[in-house]
């Protein structure tokens, strides 16, 4: 299932440590993969149904 | 000559447009016998980097208005004893485009990364990707540039036909059969016009949408999602759009 969060509250993605920190947070929620777009300031997450991603922002679809 | 009911005597039909598009051989590097180990933390320099040049560009018999998009590829193997994932950072001309990580890759499996994140590329653009992971290597890289949002000179056309080649090509024979996310789609929808393995479609009439044109691709335009996924023991995936090879239509001199 795909989830999308605009203007997410996430670790700074300008560093590799920030990428891995976000990955750890998302995997702990059950994410199977994810991507962050700088231009759109959007986080896309792939994972099982009913993931609780509220700590990152408002899920627009999923 | 037929006359348009909403025009002042101008011909309804204009001359037939019949355009072919050919593509260069894929710019793909294979170093399976001498793979590059991925670092366990983000590297300073990108391991995958291509400067878009004329050698990457599709060749038109008569160029229609369009936008170019590109996909960057990277593939290798998980040499560790356990499943793990690969992290990525994608850049265009040195600026951040995207970060992320893909599916967990089982031990001993090949992985394939496809990064269709470069809408509106120009000659001279530098497309690059950094990869890092525990116990992985890099064996293949590539880049693919293709047109999307192809537009007609008039808003309505008749007898519109489209031909494309959906065969996987990026990694040659190892791509075949497992290659691709397909996609050509209607102008303003992501509903497929046909299964990807079909190679021809025809419409009695078609609207050239101001944004999406007569035809736009899915991968690299409407879908800009990166993927890194397991691809088996000997086969690589390269998510790509089918290559449009011919477009023909009759412009209609109608106002809408």
């Amino acid at each position: 299932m795909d989830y999308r969060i605009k203007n997410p509250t996430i670790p700074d993605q300008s560093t590799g440590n920030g990428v891995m920190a976000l990955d750890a947070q998302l995997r702990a929620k059950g994410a199977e993969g994810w991507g962050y777009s700088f231009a759109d300031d959007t986080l896309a997450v792939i994972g099982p149904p009913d993931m609780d991603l509220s700590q990152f922002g408002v899920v627009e679809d999923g | 000559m037929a006359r348009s009911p909403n025009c002042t005597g101008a011909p309804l039909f204009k001359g037939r447009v019949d355009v072919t598009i050919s593509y260069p051989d894929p710019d793909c590097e294979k170093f399976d016998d001498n793979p590059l180990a991925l670092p366990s933390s983000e590297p300073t320099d990108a391991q995958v980097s291509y400067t878009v040049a004329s050698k990457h560009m599709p060749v038109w018999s008569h160029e229609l208005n369009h936008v170019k998009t590109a996909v960057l590829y990277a593939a290798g193997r998980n040499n560790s004893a356990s499943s793990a994932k690969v992290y990525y950072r994608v850049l265009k001309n040195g600026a951040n485009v995207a970060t992320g990580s893909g599916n967990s890759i089982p031990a001993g499996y090949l992985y394939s990364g496809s990064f269709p994140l470069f809408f509106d590329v120009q000659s001279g653009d530098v497309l690059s990707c950094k990869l890092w992971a525990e116990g992985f290597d890099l064996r293949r890289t590539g880049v693919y540039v293709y047109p999307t949002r192809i537009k007609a000179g008039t808003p309505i056309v008749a007898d519109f036909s489209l031909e494309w080649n959906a065969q996987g090509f990026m990694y040659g024979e190892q791509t075949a059969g497992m290659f691709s996310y397909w996609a050509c789609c209607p102008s303003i929808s992501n509903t497929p016009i046909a299964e990807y393995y079909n190679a021809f479609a025809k419409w009695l009439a078609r609207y050239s949408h101001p944004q999406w044109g007569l035809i736009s691709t899915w991968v690299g335009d409407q879908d800009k999602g990166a993927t890194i996924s397991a691809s088996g023991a000997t086969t690589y995936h390269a998510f790509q759009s089918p290559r449009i090879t011919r477009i023909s239509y009759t412009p209609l001199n109608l106002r809408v």
Side-chain angles (χ1 to χ4, degrees):
Chain A
M1 190 163 181
D2 295 336
Y3 303 86
R4 187 170 298 273
I5 302 172
K6 286 283 288 181
N7 310 121
T9 303
I10 57 175
D12 179 11
Q13 291 299 288
S14 65
T15 70
N17 286 339
V19 175
M20 291 190 286
L22 176 57
D23 183 75
Q25 292 177 11
L26 291 169
R27 301 281 173 180
K29 298 286 186 184
E32 295 159 2
W34 61 275
Y36 172 73
S37 166
F38 285 86
D40 302 333
D41 190 17
T42 298
L43 176 66
V45 181
I46 299 172
D50 301 322
M51 286 183 71
D52 178 10
L53 298 172
S54 57
Q55 78 177 75
F56 305 104
V58 178
V59 178
E60 291 191 343
D61 51 30
Chain B
M1 175 67 75
R3 300 285 172 175
S4 165
N6 72 341
C7 293
T8 56
L12 173 59
F13 301 108
K14 295 183 178 180
R16 183 83 180 158
V17 173
D18 192 347
V19 172
T20 58
I21 309 171
S22 59
Y23 297 81
D25 291 337
D27 192 353
C28 173
E29 296 176 57
K30 303 176 183 177
F31 35 99
D32 301 48
D33 295 335
N34 190 24
L36 176 69
L38 296 187
S40 57
S41 60
E42 182 176 2
T44 303
D45 298 319
Q47 303 100 323
V48 184
S49 186
Y50 287 88
T51 300
V52 177
S54 56
K55 70 176 183 179
H56 298 116
M57 302 299 188
V59 178
W60 298 67
S61 62
H62 168 72
E63 190 164 317
L64 300 176
N65 186 306
H66 69 282
V67 177
K68 292 181 182 66
T69 189
V71 188
L72 206 60
Y73 297 103
R77 186 173 185 272
N78 177 4
N79 300 307
S80 73
S82 59
S83 296
K85 68 266 183 182
V86 179
Y87 305 102
Y88 64 82
R89 178 183 304 281
V90 174
L91 306 103
K92 181 179 180 184
N93 299 324
N96 281 314
V97 173
T99 55
S101 74
N103 293 343
S104 188
I105 311 298
Y109 272 62
L110 297 173
Y111 71 90
S112 298
S114 299
F115 305 95
L117 298 164
F118 303 101
F119 182 75
D120 193 15
V121 293
Q122 311 290 333
S123 189
D125 282 341
V126 179
L127 317 181
S128 50
C129 180
K130 299 178 180 182
L131 299 167
W132 67 102
E134 294 280 356
F136 281 65
D137 67 31
L138 179 67
R139 299 170 178 228
R140 299 190 175 199
T141 66
V143 67
Y144 164 43
V145 179
Y146 54 102
T148 186
R149 304 193 186 190
I150 301 169
K151 295 174 180 170
T154 57
I156 303 289
V157 303
D159 193 16
F160 174 65
S161 64
L162 185 73
E163 297 176 23
W164 66 87
N165 181 343
Q167 287 192 323
F169 65 94
M170 178 51 61
Y171 299 133
E173 74 286 354
Q174 284 188 294
T175 312
M178 298 189 70
F179 80 105
S180 159
Y181 202 60
W182 65 283
C184 297
C185 38
S187 299
I188 54 173
S189 163
N190 61 11
T191 304
I193 54 171
E195 298 297 331
Y196 74 83
Y197 44 78
N198 289 339
F200 179 80
K202 196 173 181 68
W203 294 260
L204 185 62
R206 192 160 174 86
Y207 174 51
S208 184
H209 187 274
Q211 180 177 6
W212 302 107
L214 284 170
I215 196 79
S216 56
T217 58
W218 182 241
V219 177
D221 188 346
Q222 297 180 60
D223 177 9
K224 300 184 185 73
T227 61
I228 298 181
S229 57
S231 51
T234 60
T235 305
Y236 297 94
H237 296 187
F239 290 94
Q240 63 186 55
S241 173
R243 292 172 288 179
I244 295 171
T245 55
R246 187 175 183 180
I247 298 169
S248 57
Y249 59 86
T250 300
L252 293 184
N253 199 19
L254 291 174
R255 298 188 180 107
V256 292

